[in-house]
Amino acid sequence: MPEAEPTALSASYLASRDEVERVLLLYSGGLDTSVMCKWIQDEYGAEVVALTVNLGQPGEDYDVVRQKALDLGAVAAEVVDAREEFARDFIVPAIKANAVYGLGYPLFTALGRPLIAKIAVEQARIHGCDTIAHGCTGKGNDQVRIEGTVATLAPELKVIAPVREWQMGREEEIAYAREHGIPIKGGAEQTPYSIDDNLWGRSSEGRWIEELDRAPEQDVFQLVTPPALAPDEPEMVEVEFEKGVPVALNGERMGLVDLLEKAAQIGARHGVGIIDHIEDRIVGLKVRDIYEVPAAAIILPAHAELERLTGTIHQNRFKEGLDRQWAYLVYAGLWWEPLRVNLDAFMDSANETATGTIGVECFKGVARVVTRSSPYAVYDASLATFETSGGLFSQNASPGFIELWSLQSRMAYRLRESLEEGQDG
Ligand code: ARG
């Protein structure tokens, strides 16, 4: 058998310099991707088409971002508003699966990356690009999610990840930016936090966050009010669900994007959804993230409560395990894995009865479920009450149940006792 050609590239989907002619650049408008926009033109002699995907990043001015890319020499600059698709096809399945990773990360970045990369593939094809470029480092999960998506959906496209290869530090990047007339926003003195945000939440990494023994500095919170400064009056939010999908807030029906934004506003006002999280990345590192997830902090507990009420004990216990599997697959960058699709079919089925309204009280950093109602609630107040016995539930039947329910445990316990006594004697 002939030996395989030795290659400098560590994966087949990576582009070598000579095959790159037109690059679709995932462009945020920040320092890294702005430097990349120029760097790719200079180093590869390639054309750049910039793409910015709107997933509901609060306060972003997409016209400014677009113009910045054109000013940096991009031959075209696209902005795609994918908020509806993100909400419907990514956040809703996450809600149905009660998706959190670790001790409370609701996966907003992990959900956004496969969609961003899918749109990058579509735009690369429209613009005749041969390569997709992104600004991820070699240390994070996002490179896995983006490159995994591109390699899955578009085997004909190649990938470059300049930040992983150029080995410029922040100082050098700033020098490069100055030299090439790239505007630096927010000043060059202070290293900024590394931010990622969308409709479902916001993360900050870097700076003091890397020192685990340091409590959060207030300037990191750009979305959620510090709980101590939140209003002194609690606010009630009633979330109505139909088959697991949130459809109304406080009795007012609205589209998903509006609903998520509105929930985020209420939560943010009351200091709800701050998560200081140590995380096991899939690339081996443990990292600390500061999350602000005001919408998820209201909607996820509401949904979980509704399922508790409408599912049987067996459905509820089983689903917990599958929820965790779903969250792990998505966290781990395997959105396109068929198992996720299988699990979604289960989630949809399990959510057939997740219809009803849950009231969540928001107050100084806490979102707490306080009211529930559902036509599918497997609940009968007349059975649950201490007052009476009869009907479907006979208290007289309980002792017989207890005798049989504990039978094996009692036998095993006594067996061990008697064997241990034998040894002692
Ligand atoms: N730790 C989270 C995750 O892996 C958030 C990552 C945020 N990404 C970023 N480029 N700042 O999904």
Side-chain angles (χ1 to χ4, degrees):
M1 238 175 33
E3 289 256 319
E5 277 285 294
T7 164
L9 297 171
S10 59
S12 59
Y13 63 77
L14 292 176
S16 59
R17 297 232 156 188
D18 49 327
E19 54 186 344
V20 179
E21 277 171 18
R22 191 175 245 240
V23 176
L24 187 292
L25 166 65
L26 281 167
Y27 185 66
S28 70
L31 179 66
D32 285 339
T33 55
S34 293
V35 168
M36 274 170 66
C37 190
K38 265 265 178 284
W39 189 85
I40 290 167
Q41 296 172 60
D42 291 351
E43 294 287 316
Y44 286 80
E47 289 177 339
V48 172
V49 174
L51 167 66
T52 307
V53 181
N54 176 358
L55 296 184
Q57 300 87 310
E60 190 69 88
D61 186 334
Y62 294 95
D63 290 336
V64 171
V65 174
R66 196 174 165 277
Q67 191 54 50
K68 192 169 175 184
L70 294 172
D71 292 345
L72 292 172
V75 294
E78 300 280 357
V79 174
V80 173
D81 182 352
R83 286 175 299 171
E84 288 293 339
E85 184 178 4
F86 184 47
R88 184 187 62 232
D89 296 343
F90 293 79
I91 299 179
V92 163
I95 293 169
K96 288 183 178 174
N98 301 306
V100 287
Y101 177 72
L103 297 181
Y105 167 43
L107 297 175
F108 52 89
T109 297
L111 292 163
R113 297 308 185 197
L115 176 55
I116 290 171
K118 186 191 93 164
I119 294 169
V121 164
E122 289 163 2
Q123 290 293 325
R125 286 174 176 162
I126 290 171
H127 287 274
C129 299
D130 44 60
T131 302
I132 289 176
H134 62 75
C136 303
T137 71
K139 287 191 168 180
N141 298 316
D142 290 330
Q143 53 175 344
V144 182
R145 297 164 181 154
I146 290 174
E147 293 177 20
T149 296
V150 173
T152 302
L153 301 184
E156 83 279 12
L157 291 175
K158 300 280 176 173
V159 172
I160 55 174
V163 177
R164 217 164 40 193
E165 70 179 75
W166 68 25
Q167 279 161 358
M168 275 194 267
R170 187 172 155 80
E171 298 299 304
E172 289 146 292
E173 273 191 63
I174 288 170
Y176 186 100
R178 290 231 166 85
E179 200 179 310
H180 292 83
I182 300 169
I184 302 159
K185 65 176 174 189
E189 320 73 40
Q190 174 86 288
T191 305
Y193 297 107
S194 163
I195 307 294
D196 186 58
D197 57 1
N198 61 43
L199 278 176
W200 200 225
R202 168 187 154 93
S203 73
S204 304
E205 295 174 348
R207 289 179 53 188
W208 56 264
I209 300 170
E210 289 165 4
E211 295 162 46
L212 302 188
D213 58 351
R214 283 180 64 175
E217 285 173 20
Q218 289 308 316
D219 71 346
V220 76
F221 301 113
Q222 296 294 318
L223 194 58
V224 174
T225 307
L229 304 178
D232 293 326
E233 288 298 311
E235 183 171 350
M236 173 83 151
V237 200
E238 288 192 332
V239 191
E240 187 180 338
F241 294 88
E242 278 172 16
K243 300 188 182 206
V245 183
V247 293
L249 278 190
N250 294 325
E252 191 189 334
R253 288 186 82 89
M254 56 187 98
L256 266 171
V257 171
D258 285 346
L259 188 147
L260 295 171
E261 282 174 352
K262 192 100 189 285
Q265 268 169 24
I266 299 170
R269 183 156 67 237
H270 290 276
V272 158
I274 292 175
I275 302 191
D276 185 335
H277 202 234
I278 295 294
E279 199 162 291
D280 286 306
R281 283 190 185 164
I282 48 179
V283 292
L285 295 171
K286 273 191 207 298
V287 174
R288 180 191 190 190
D289 279 89
I290 302 290
Y291 294 128
E292 295 167 82
V293 291
I298 293 171
I299 290 170
L300 287 178
H303 176 266
E305 182 82 356
L306 185 57
E307 277 190 343
R308 285 273 122 195
L309 195 61
T310 58
T312 66
I313 180 175
H314 308 291
Q315 290 176 304
N316 288 342
R317 283 171 49 82
F318 187 73
K319 189 165 181 295
E320 279 171 4
L322 296 197
D323 286 352
R324 239 194 313 278
Q325 285 284 345
W326 194 98
Y328 181 66
L329 275 184
V330 172
Y331 182 80
L334 298 179
W335 178 263
W336 309 99
E337 156 65 44
L339 176 57
R340 199 264 310 159
V341 181
N342 301 157
L343 290 173
D344 273 338
F346 174 84
M347 300 301 169
D348 285 342
S349 170
N351 274 275
E352 281 291 319
T353 53
T355 295
T357 302
I358 302 293
V360 180
E361 189 186 84
C362 298
F363 183 57
K364 292 209 184 282
V366 178
R368 183 163 52 94
V369 170
V370 288
T371 63
R372 314 111 181 109
S373 81
S374 168
Y376 294 98
V378 187
Y379 178 81
D380 182 338
S382 73
L383 292 181
T385 179
F386 297 116
E387 312 291 323
T388 58
S389 174
L392 285 174
F393 197 104
S394 163
Q395 296 203 38
N396 293 335
S398 283
F401 163 76
I402 295 164
E403 184 156 74
L404 303 187
W405 173 244
S406 62
L407 178 59
Q408 287 199 12
S409 309
R410 288 186 285 115
M411 284 172 65
Y413 183 90
R414 286 219 295 275
L415 192 58
R416 196 161 348 142
E417 292 260 288
S418 65
L419 289 175
E420 274 167 16
E421 259 167 41
Q423 271 169 13
D424 291 348

